[in-house]
Amino acid sequence: MSDPFHSYHDYLDSRVRLFVGDLTEHAVDAIVNAANSTLLGGGGVDGAIHRCGGPAILEACRHLRHTRWPDGLPTGQVAVTTGGRLAAPLVIHTVGPIWGQHHGSEASLLADCYRNAIALAADRCLSRIAFPAISTGVYGYPAPEAAAVASKAIADALARHAVIKEVRLVFHTPEQMAIFAAHQQFGS
């Protein structure tokens, strides 16, 4: 099957690739949802994933709330559900930090989102996952700072998990991708 998406930047021997477009259309092993702690859907990427994936995702999230996370998914942690009708069979949900609301621990919490999602994917022997730009939308995390944190966390996680062959970073606009590319810490 050919890949209909064009990667604009590649890093770490093409294990990390940058794309512009709709995260929900990427046929990888799992996409990462920038969820809110309720896991019950919301706006932005979260809303798009729930809309495109259909009711199976919401049902699985309700089950997680009932069985594992009754008070909601904590910031930086991850949970996995079906992908429903998405091109990816699984969704890894993570809650990014809200800028200015975590007493200076925003960077470590954002890094946890990426590291924990990659570790969960590796534990399930998944090889290809796709991320949105976690926390850079309504959660207000400045995109340049988020790029540095995310890229360092991804590089660290990939060094630990050889089973992960490709991490896709999918940006909504070319401008968002350009900011990430200008501030990433992968190196060349």
Side-chain angles (χ1 to χ4, degrees):
M1 180 166 111
S2 68
D3 190 344
F5 300 101
H6 173 72
S7 171
Y8 292 90
H9 298 277
D10 294 348
Y11 303 98
L12 303 178
D13 295 324
S14 295
R15 286 181 77 195
V16 177
R17 300 173 66 204
L18 274 53
F19 296 83
V20 173
D22 186 344
L23 176 69
T24 66
E25 295 178 356
H26 284 258
V28 291
D29 298 320
I31 63 171
V32 177
N33 181 16
N36 63 55
S37 65
T38 70
L39 295 176
L40 301 179
V45 169
D46 192 18
I49 287 171
H50 278 268
R51 277 190 307 279
C52 294
I57 297 173
L58 181 57
E59 182 180 321
C61 286
R62 285 183 176 145
H63 179 73
L64 283 171
R65 284 295 306 272
H66 180 70
T67 60
R68 177 128 192 240
W69 303 105
D71 297 325
L73 186 64
T75 302
Q77 296 301 306
V78 295
V80 66
T81 67
T82 179
R85 297 187 308 247
L86 294 170
L90 298 173
V91 176
I92 298 172
H93 305 268
T94 190
V95 179
I98 299 170
W99 184 252
Q101 299 295 310
H102 299 278
H103 311 290
S105 63
E106 288 85 357
S108 64
L109 290 168
L110 183 61
D112 285 346
C113 291
Y114 289 92
R115 281 193 294 257
N116 290 335
I118 290 170
L120 176 64
D123 287 347
R124 289 180 166 251
C125 295
L126 307 179
S127 64
R128 298 171 63 222
I129 62 173
F131 286 88
I134 298 169
S135 288
T136 61
V138 297
Y139 281 15
Y141 208 113
E145 288 88 343
V149 170
S151 58
K152 287 177 187 176
I154 291 166
D156 178 58
L158 289 178
R160 297 169 189 252
H161 301 289
V163 69
I164 305 295
K165 302 300 182 201
E166 181 185 24
V167 170
R168 292 182 177 197
L169 302 177
V170 183
F171 299 90
H172 190 64
T173 68
E175 294 78 17
Q176 290 170 336
M177 184 188 61
I179 291 169
F180 184 93
H183 296 279
Q184 55 80 22
Q185 301 291 311
F186 294 124
S188 57

